[in-house]
């Protein structure tokens, strides 16, 4: 009987030792790394000079881990930049009428794009840009195309608070990112 117990104990010890060896050969899984949402963008005015007059064809929004994004698409695939001026305002005034445009949020970004809302050759308006629903976004509260004249388009972006933002261009896209936090 003792001999059977010793064999059983030896088998159990070998099984445990073998299991330990097998466990040692399994690669360790790295813990997920935290995303660094530190930004250095600031909240001062941002501007870019136009290289060419290009019609806007679309506008859309997206959510990212550290910021909300608004993207304007310009006609064609040219790398010629669309001019812009983006800045915080206390009240959004529609240009050229100067009518106050109500917009939800704790702060308002006025976005002026040097892109006509009408065909310069015919004077006929281009199709309206689509509305953008930002319901449920962490930073964005409301977006409106408010008008435009004399070769540019004006928009308002209501945001949660006066937060850092950046503006940049890639090919036919003008991008406005607003950070979730400072």
């Amino acid at each position: 009987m003792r001999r059977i117990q010793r064999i059983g104990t030896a088998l159990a010890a070998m099984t445990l030792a073998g299991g330990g060896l097998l466990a040692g050969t399994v690669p360790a899984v790295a813990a997920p790394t935290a995303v660094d949402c530190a930004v250095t963008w600031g909240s001062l005015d941002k501007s870019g000079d136009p290289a060419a007059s290009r019609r806007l064809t679309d506008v859309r929004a997206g959510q990212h881990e550290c910021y909300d994004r608004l993207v304007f698409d310009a006609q064609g695939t040219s790398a010629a930049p669309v001019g812009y001026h983006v800045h915080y305002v206390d009240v959004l005034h529609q240009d050229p009428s100067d009518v106050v445009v109500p917009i939800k949020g704790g702060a308002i970004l006025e976005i002026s794009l040097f892109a006509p809302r009408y065909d310069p050759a015919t004077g006929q308006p281009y199709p309206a840009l689509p509305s953008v629903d930002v319901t449920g976004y962490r930073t964005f509260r409301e977006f409106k195309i408010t008008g435009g004249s004399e070769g540019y388009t004006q928009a308002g972006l209501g945001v949660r608070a006066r937060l850092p933002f950046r503006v940049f261009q890639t090919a036919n896209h003008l991008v406005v990112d607003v950070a979730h936090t400072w």
Side-chain angles (χ1 to χ4, degrees):
M1 183 74 166
R2 284 185 164 188
R3 186 170 184 220
I4 293 174
Q5 284 178 338
R6 282 188 214 159
I7 292 172
T9 303
L11 285 172
M14 288 183 353
T15 301
L16 288 174
L21 289 174
L22 290 174
T25 62
V26 175
V29 176
T33 57
V35 173
D36 182 8
C37 288
V39 296
T40 58
W41 308 336
S43 62
L44 298 178
D45 298 8
K46 301 189 176 47
S47 297
D49 292 329
S53 178
R54 294 173 54 199
R55 168 189 149 183
L56 297 177
T57 58
D58 197 10
V59 61
R60 61 192 184 284
Q63 300 178 68
H64 295 265
E65 192 163 344
C66 301
Y67 53 86
D68 289 347
R69 173 169 283 177
L70 189 65
V71 179
F72 294 90
D73 294 334
Q75 185 176 33
T77 58
S78 169
V82 173
Y84 62 89
H85 183 74
V86 182
H87 65 285
Y88 280 105
V89 295
D90 294 327
V91 177
L92 184 62
H93 292 271
Q94 183 180 36
D95 191 47
S97 69
D98 207 31
V99 171
V100 172
V101 178
I103 194 159
K104 297 175 190 169
I108 302 166
L109 274 174
E110 180 178 5
I111 304 166
S112 296
L113 302 165
F114 299 104
R117 294 297 309 133
Y118 58 87
D119 184 332
T122 66
Q124 295 300 308
Y126 290 130
L129 291 173
S131 61
V132 177
D133 183 9
V134 294
T135 303
Y137 279 57
R138 188 166 166 192
T139 296
F140 292 171
R141 295 297 180 257
E142 186 174 20
F143 173 75
K144 291 181 181 179
I145 298 289
T146 57
S149 65
E150 300 181 15
Y152 78 95
T153 299
Q154 179 190 38
L157 179 62
V159 296
R160 181 172 47 82
R162 191 178 183 116
L163 294 162
F165 69 96
R166 67 179 174 185
V167 182
F168 64 92
Q169 296 189 53
T170 61
N172 64 325
H173 310 291
L174 181 89
V175 179
V176 179
D177 290 337
V178 182
H180 293 313
T181 62
W182 274 97

